[in-house]
Amino acid sequence: MRKLYGMRLVAKRWQEIIDGTPTFWTFVLSILPPDVNEATVLRSGNGLLAIVYVLTPRTGGYLSAKDFFASWAHIFPRWSAYRGPLLSEYLAKPAPHLEKVILKGSESGDEPLELLGGSATSLRHVDLSHVSIRWKAGLFTRLKVLKLVKISYLRVHSLEVSGMDVITDTSSS
């Protein structure tokens, strides 16, 4: 993002081109100031957005995950990627454009989640750590990457997904 803003300073014409190209504006990050994220959403037009919560303090302190994601709930149908903690109010409902999910749950073990309302067919990349989901046949039909770390309630140690074996780590440490 810093490089993009730097390129905007080269010339007024560059700024117009960059600002007018929605594909440059695809990431909303918790470590960025709210006005930068708002500009990203505005400049992205109707394009898809990756929503990323980074567990790093920013100037002015932490923004809680709930507050950060609540700020972007109005564009939920445009989310193409989600990285952050398990927030069931977003991840338990269908999201037709969501292709990538990276979740970190609590080590105490949450109740199993009905990921995307049980309709996760658009997902291509799933990375779950300390997260329990309800498994059913056909949940991931287009999946390319599946990473499971310390998943409770998982009764098997390997899964057959799109013709490939995925080894899981259910041990506790």
Side-chain angles (χ1 to χ4, degrees):
M1 189 63 77
R2 186 175 293 148
K3 288 181 182 181
L4 188 59
Y5 270 84
M7 288 177 14
R8 291 175 73 242
L9 298 174
V10 170
K12 181 75 171 157
R13 181 68 182 137
W14 280 42
Q15 180 181 357
E16 291 169 357
I17 291 169
I18 291 168
D19 289 355
T21 306
T23 54
F24 286 139
W25 306 98
T26 58
F27 288 92
V28 175
L29 306 166
S30 64
I31 58 173
L32 295 176
D35 60 317
V36 172
N37 283 327
E38 289 166 10
T40 295
V41 171
L42 182 65
R43 292 174 182 145
S44 69
N46 291 324
L48 299 177
L49 295 163
I51 311 298
V52 179
Y53 184 78
V54 181
L55 297 172
T56 304
R58 63 179 175 94
T59 306
Y62 285 96
L63 185 60
S64 78
K66 285 193 181 271
D67 290 342
F68 174 73
F69 286 107
S71 301
W72 309 112
H74 67 286
I75 58 167
F76 179 73
R78 296 175 50 199
W79 291 13
S80 65
Y82 175 102
R83 179 181 181 157
L86 174 62
L87 295 175
S88 60
E89 56 266 37
Y90 301 108
L91 298 169
K93 60 185 180 181
H97 298 294
L98 200 59
E99 293 185 355
K100 184 174 189 174
V101 173
I102 300 173
L103 295 177
K104 181 157 178 56
S106 66
E107 300 210 14
S108 62
D110 299 304
E111 282 295 313
L113 173 71
E114 183 86 28
L115 188 62
L116 303 180
S119 179
T121 56
S122 62
L123 286 174
R124 307 286 189 280
H125 181 116
V126 174
D127 182 335
L128 305 176
S129 178
H130 299 284
V131 175
S132 296
I133 65 170
R134 291 193 181 108
W135 297 89
K136 66 179 187 179
L139 182 62
F140 303 123
T141 57
R142 297 173 156 175
L143 202 61
K144 303 246 185 246
V145 175
L146 178 61
K147 181 178 179 185
L148 305 173
V149 177
K150 302 210 184 327
I151 305 299
S152 57
Y153 303 111
L154 187 60
R155 304 279 186 246
V156 296
H157 294 284
S158 67
L159 300 170
E160 181 73 20
V161 179
S162 301
M164 63 180 169
D165 286 326
V166 178
I167 307 303
T168 63
D169 176 5
T170 58
S171 62
S172 33
S173 58

